[in-house]
Amino acid sequence: MLPDERANEQAPQQEAIVVISANLVKELREKSGAGIMECKRALEETGGDLEKAAGMLRQQGLVKADKKSGRSASEGLIEPYIHGGGRIGAIVEVNCETDFVARTPDFKDLAHDIAMQVAATSPRYLDAESVPEGDVPGLEREYGSRDAGIAAVCLLDQPFIKDPKLTVRDLVRDRIGKLGENIIVRRFARFELGADLPADGGNG
């Protein structure tokens, strides 16, 4: 064996070191809402890939959300949303565990987005568990399958109007991971001017 070959054979393999800049950590924090050390660790584990790191933190947030799902949530907000110059209105009750979280911009934005979702999509039920068994055959006929019907008429299972890659349930779980408290969409109502009135406007 030649000397150069022996030296190369004996040289330890060095792993590439990825330097994580403070600006990258800051960007991930703004994107995910996670802590500094969590962001730095996610970036290190993904080789500095911002999107992969955000995905990793999102998955970790979902795990945290599952662990918090059984906790009591009796604080929160009643959030209204008015659209179309007062022709359509929606109101939702979104609960969390503490008044402190209820007053945060992240929670208020969540409640606002859900009220907007209700106004825009007119869901009939909160989730699949809320659908009466007798209504399922009608949904299957109307939408072609049970799953398609659930996604169309159940608020938590609908694609989020601002980002259809997510469901409203995903949005809520993401915010649970970010805020660290259980969050529940309790109930909602939607009103549309003139809807459900008889053709004569209800006048005798």
Side-chain angles (χ1 to χ4, degrees), residues 77 99-110 179:
L77 289 175
D99 182 59
F100 173 79
V101 162
R103 290 184 277 108
T104 61
D106 281 323
F107 187 84
K108 291 179 179 179
D109 287 347
L110 174 66
L179 293 173

Side-chain angles (χ1 to χ4, degrees), residues 45-121:
E45 291 181 14
T46 57
D49 188 309
L50 187 64
E51 291 303 318
K52 287 183 179 179
M56 176 183 291
L57 290 173
R58 192 176 301 114
Q59 288 301 317
Q60 291 172 352
L62 294 183
V63 172
K64 293 177 184 177
D66 287 339
K67 291 179 179 178
K68 292 177 173 64
S69 62
R71 291 176 9 187
S72 174
S74 56
E75 296 294 336
L77 289 175
I78 303 291
E79 178 71 16
Y81 180 81
I82 307 299
H83 181 70
R87 299 191 66 84
I88 295 175
I91 188 165
V92 299
E93 179 181 348
V94 184
N95 298 135
C96 56
E97 296 177 42
T98 64
D99 182 59
F100 173 79
V101 162
R103 290 184 277 108
T104 61
D106 281 323
F107 187 84
K108 291 179 179 179
D109 287 347
L110 174 66
H112 178 78
D113 283 342
I114 294 174
M116 185 190 307
Q117 177 88 18
V118 171
T121 64

Side-chain angles (χ1 to χ4, degrees), residues 28 86 90:
L28 182 57

Side-chain angles (χ1 to χ4, degrees), residues 1 11 13 16 38 41-42 53 60 67 71 90 93 117 120 142 151 153 169 172 176 188:
M1 182 180 294
Q13 296 293 323
E38 287 179 306
R41 189 178 304 112
Q60 291 172 352
K67 291 179 179 178
R71 291 176 9 187
E93 179 181 348
Q117 177 88 18
E142 186 176 354
V153 303
R169 190 188 308 277
V172 172
I176 291 172
F188 67 89

